[in-house]
Amino acid sequence: MLRLPSFTYLQPKVLQEALAMKADAGPDGMYVAGGTDLYPNMKRRHQEPRTVISLMGIPELAGCEMRDARCVVGSCMTLTDLSASPPVRRSAPAVAHAAELVSTPLLRNMGTLGGNLCLDTRCNYYNQSYEWRKAIDFCMKKDGHICWVAPSSPRCWAVSSSDVAPVMVALGADYVLVGPGGERVVPAARFYHNDGINYLTKQPDEVLAAVRLPAPDGWDAVYHKLRRRGSFDFPVLGVAAWVKWEQGAGSRERGRVVEARIVLGGVASWPQEVPEAGAALVGTDLSDEGVAAAADAAYRPAKPMDNTDFDLSWRKQMTRVYVARALAELGQRRRAAT
Ligand SMILES: Cc1cc2nc3c(=O)[nH]c(=O)nc-3n(C[C@H](O)[C@H](O)[C@H](O)COP(=O)(O)OP(=O)(O)OC[C@H]3O[C@@H](n4cnc5c(N)ncnc54)[C@H](O)[C@@H]3O)c2cc1C
Ligand code: SF4
């Protein structure tokens, strides 16, 4: 059995107290929310904080509310609550759906939105016990020097495996970060780096406080997930598709896409937007030809690495299939609504 190392556990009651505790703890301190990612990682010695600061007792980070027609979701909302929340389901059903697809009910009862969006990147050579990793002399992401996936590579290719992050990037949601220097707001896309080690642009002492979903404005979005076991596993491919429909007077104009974003999860160290796929949809009504062009465009840059589940060439093929399925769902929904 893997055991947690000993550590000091702190429970601040307000956000400023959490920031002060982190400043006191320095690099040895880490925030925790539901702990479903951090605690298993500590057992495997991926992260080794001596002080763990819980965010779960901080009222500013809980719940969600409507502000200026935008739904603002606190980072400590559990995935269960997120998927059931009426304002979230009304504002962005794709967010609720992605949260619903994370792992199992037990995990969703503990895991939070903030933890999901800050999730550590994953790799078959990294998500192993300390002894397993030691037997291969570790790897670049922790304790070692080489990347076993791409031995001549100067970077780590561990994979972004969050279900909710690709949806946030596709929607163009804003993340509210609070640190010792105050508050700043970053678009979801700018929160992530395509680097398996430095995968977040957030500073270690900053707390992801809330996520602002965009106001309804003629857009729609969906999320589709590929995994081995439908009731449990991490995504090996996630497809978030967002389209904005023309708000013209005639029914013909109302059927055209004016802007679109396709974002892939599970194929890179960040949620990867494929601008060519979005561009292929503009001016179309999501007819079969438009969908096929976008699916092709998404297939080309998708470069799954051999460090998660399934054969990587099959996973690449599935990009085309899943993008087409996601867009078909959006098209059907549009036709049903008009
Ligand atoms: C068996 C298993 C299956 C899983 N399956 C999936 C899956 O299918 N899809 C998926 O997306 N994920 C999956 N996960 C990963 C993870 O459990 C979830 O993503 C969960 O949402 C993480 O949230 P948490 O609150 O438990 O994070 P924690 O473990 O508390 O934290 C994760 C990381 O985020 C940081 N952090 C947390 N909250 C904040 C904040 N507000 N501000 C700044 N930093 C913060 C922590 O310091 C830590 O580094 C799985 C995990 C397990 C163990
Ligand atoms: S991609 Fe390479 S460096 Fe990164 S975790 Fe895997 S083996 Fe390690």
Side-chain angles (χ1 to χ4, degrees):
M1 183 202 285
L2 297 179
R3 291 187 185 280
L4 275 172
S6 66
F7 59 91
T8 303
Y9 181 70
L10 302 177
Q11 292 177 285
K13 294 278 175 275
V14 293
L15 191 46
Q16 285 308 320
E17 195 185 358
L19 297 175
M21 288 170 170
K22 175 72 180 91
D24 282 350
D28 285 335
M30 274 188 85
Y31 299 118
V32 70
T36 61
D37 187 51
L38 182 64
Y39 292 140
N41 282 0
M42 286 171 66
K43 288 182 180 177
R44 295 183 296 239
R45 309 303 190 257
H46 293 141
Q47 280 108 42
E48 301 177 279
R50 293 210 208 122
T51 305
V52 173
I53 303 157
S54 172
L55 302 175
M56 294 306 277
I58 300 178
E60 296 124 285
L61 307 180
C64 76
E65 60 180 15
M66 296 303 295
R67 267 187 240 152
D68 303 327
R70 296 181 72 171
C71 183
V72 182
V73 190
S75 63
C76 285
M77 189 177 231
T78 66
L79 297 169
T80 298
D81 289 346
L82 183 67
S83 59
S85 155
V88 175
R89 293 188 83 91
R90 270 194 306 276
S91 304
V95 170
H97 181 58
E100 223 163 40
L101 293 177
V102 173
S103 191
T104 61
L106 290 177
L107 189 132
R108 294 194 293 273
N109 288 343
M110 290 297 293
T112 64
L113 171 64
N116 191 271
L117 299 179
C118 296
L119 192 63
D120 194 8
T121 52
R122 296 180 60 80
C123 171
N124 288 343
Y125 294 91
Y126 171 73
N127 295 101
Q128 305 287 351
S129 67
Y130 181 85
E131 285 69 26
W132 192 103
R133 293 189 295 116
K134 188 177 175 193
I136 60 162
D137 199 19
F138 304 102
C139 79
M140 197 192 285
K141 185 159 160 72
K142 183 72 169 70
D143 301 321
H145 303 287
I146 193 169
C147 172
W148 294 108
V149 174
S152 58
S153 171
R155 60 159 283 198
C156 162
W157 297 86
V159 175
S160 166
S161 303
S162 159
D163 278 306
V164 187
V167 181
M168 293 301 186
V169 174
L171 256 51
D174 289 322
Y175 292 2
V176 182
L177 304 177
V178 180
E183 180 181 302
R184 66 187 180 107
V185 178
V186 295
R190 292 231 311 271
F191 189 70
Y192 301 101
H193 272 310
N194 193 13
D195 182 299
I197 296 173
N198 297 309
Y199 53 92
L200 297 182
T201 60
K202 180 183 92 56
Q203 297 303 313
D205 49 7
E206 284 181 309
V207 170
L208 171 58
V211 175
R212 293 182 189 154
L213 302 176
D217 184 20
W219 58 263
D220 197 3
V222 291
Y223 178 69
H224 282 228
K225 170 175 181 174
L226 170 66
R227 54 181 161 177
R228 186 176 287 270
R229 292 167 294 184
S231 60
F232 182 83
D233 284 318
F234 277 94
V236 290
L237 170 69
V239 173
W242 174 93
V243 292
K244 187 166 180 190
W245 297 101
E246 190 166 2
Q247 303 291 296
S251 59
R252 200 175 131 75
E253 287 77 21
R254 277 203 301 270
R256 300 268 158 209
V257 171
V258 289
E259 207 184 335
R261 282 190 285 271
I262 304 291
V263 181
L264 307 177
V267 298
S269 301
W270 63 352
Q272 182 174 344
E273 185 179 352
V274 188
E276 302 81 4
L281 295 169
V282 173
T284 75
D285 59 358
L286 293 194
S287 59
D288 291 349
E289 303 79 58
V291 167
D296 258 0
Y299 165 82
R300 267 177 255 124
K303 288 196 179 64
M305 301 295 285
D306 197 10
N307 57 355
T308 66
D309 199 3
F310 291 127
D311 174 75
L312 72 144
S313 58
W314 182 78
R315 280 164 54 212
K316 184 168 168 69
Q317 299 291 335
M318 285 300 105
T319 313
R320 190 185 268 134
V321 176
Y322 272 65
V323 170
R325 281 185 195 169
L327 294 173
E329 186 187 340
L330 282 173
Q332 276 159 18
R333 216 140 77 186
R334 181 67 180 178
R335 284 188 284 282
T338 51

